Amino acid sequence: MKTFHQLFEPDTSTYTYILVDPTTDAAAIIDPAKTMVERDLRVIRDHGLRLELILDTHVHADHITGAGDLRRETGAPVAVGRECGADCADFQLDGDEDLTFGNEVIHTIATPGHTPGSMSFRWRDRVFTGDALLIGGTGRTDFQGGDPGQLWDSLTQGILSLDDETLLFPGHDYEGRTVTTVGEERATNPRLAGNDREGFIALMNGLDLNPPRYIDESVPANRRCGDAA
């Protein structure tokens, strides 16, 4: 049985991940997008899986989560970082928790900075970083309570302290890349390699980026787990 599915939503270049315990057919999903809920349910049903856990790495600003829809369809609980302000979630995460589905364990890593409540999730030999750490980049810090100094600390003391061989799967990639490693990002990520905390803060504060296209609708909806007002 396939134990890992990496799925792509092309409008916002969002990755969704389905993790599988082959011994029990239990599954967990990370960062589902509302526009792709039917696809995700089809994968779950076609593989005979039982969804037991729905995770969002943060309150997204670029797309609406499918967490609420999947909860209604499957009964699986939703978990997000406590500082996200998403009271709709069944579990509020602080980091350094173990979450289970079937016989599998996902370890939570608090990685604030892109947003105050950002979480990364470690499973087996890989880590899912949401928008905190991207392939060759990082999440932005210029809205929604972002803090570049906090992001630097989260990355250097958290994700980048994992073993070099740890696979790293981001929440987005805009160039078609699917996976990197902690060692690769530590050595070559242009925002991090050879930089220090002060330099990173200056770099992030100097970015002049347009707001995400869907921020005005996405953030309020995602604080409701993707449900309408």
Side-chain angles (χ1 to χ4, degrees):
M1 174 183 288
K2 188 174 182 180
T3 60
F4 178 64
H5 302 262
Q6 183 178 30
L7 307 169
F8 187 66
E9 189 279 306
D11 183 42
T12 59
S13 298
T14 295
Y15 283 124
T16 295
Y17 302 97
I18 298 176
L19 321 182
V20 178
D21 173 16
T23 65
T24 66
D25 297 331
I29 193 167
I30 298 173
D31 285 343
K34 192 176 185 72
T35 56
M36 305 301 284
V37 163
E38 288 305 317
R39 175 205 63 188
D40 298 342
L41 288 170
R42 186 165 58 251
V43 171
I44 291 165
R45 291 164 180 160
D46 287 352
H47 289 83
L49 304 177
R50 181 180 66 261
L51 189 64
E52 291 192 348
L53 193 58
I54 303 165
L55 303 174
D56 265 323
T57 53
H58 62 294
V59 164
H60 305 274
D62 49 14
H63 70 277
I64 297 177
T65 180
D69 291 344
L70 287 170
R71 179 168 57 187
R72 276 189 295 277
E73 289 290 331
T74 68
V78 175
V80 300
R82 186 181 306 278
E83 299 304 316
C84 287
D87 295 338
C88 57
D90 302 282
F91 299 117
Q92 301 289 330
L93 305 175
D94 297 302
D96 200 26
E97 298 119 331
D98 287 335
L99 308 176
T100 61
F101 65 101
N103 295 319
E104 297 284 333
V105 176
I106 297 171
H107 188 71
T108 68
I109 305 171
T111 47
H114 172 61
T115 71
S118 291
M119 285 279 159
S120 294
F121 301 111
R122 189 177 186 186
W123 175 67
R124 296 186 177 182
D125 61 348
R126 58 202 63 192
V127 62
F128 304 91
T129 56
D131 291 7
L133 184 58
L134 306 173
I135 300 176
T138 67
R140 55 196 293 182
T141 58
D142 57 335
F143 61 83
Q144 208 178 335
D147 182 322
Q150 192 176 50
L151 182 58
W152 173 267
D153 295 341
S154 294
L155 298 181
T156 58
Q157 298 171 23
I159 295 170
L160 295 179
S161 68
L162 300 174
D163 292 342
D164 283 357
E165 297 79 15
T166 305
L167 300 176
L168 193 155
F169 290 90
H172 303 273
D173 191 81
Y174 306 99
E175 298 180 21
R177 298 166 297 188
T178 58
V179 64
T180 182
T181 65
V182 167
E184 180 72 13
E185 294 310 307
R186 189 188 298 116
T188 67
N189 190 301
R191 293 189 180 178
L192 301 169
N195 209 347
D196 58 18
R197 192 176 192 273
E198 291 71 24
F200 180 76
I201 291 171
L203 184 157
M204 298 303 290
N205 285 338
L207 297 177
D208 185 18
L209 302 172
N210 293 323
R213 281 180 295 160
Y214 304 125
I215 185 171
D216 291 339
E217 57 192 279
S218 294
V219 171
N222 289 335
R223 288 188 175 133
R224 301 187 298 268
C225 295
D227 292 338

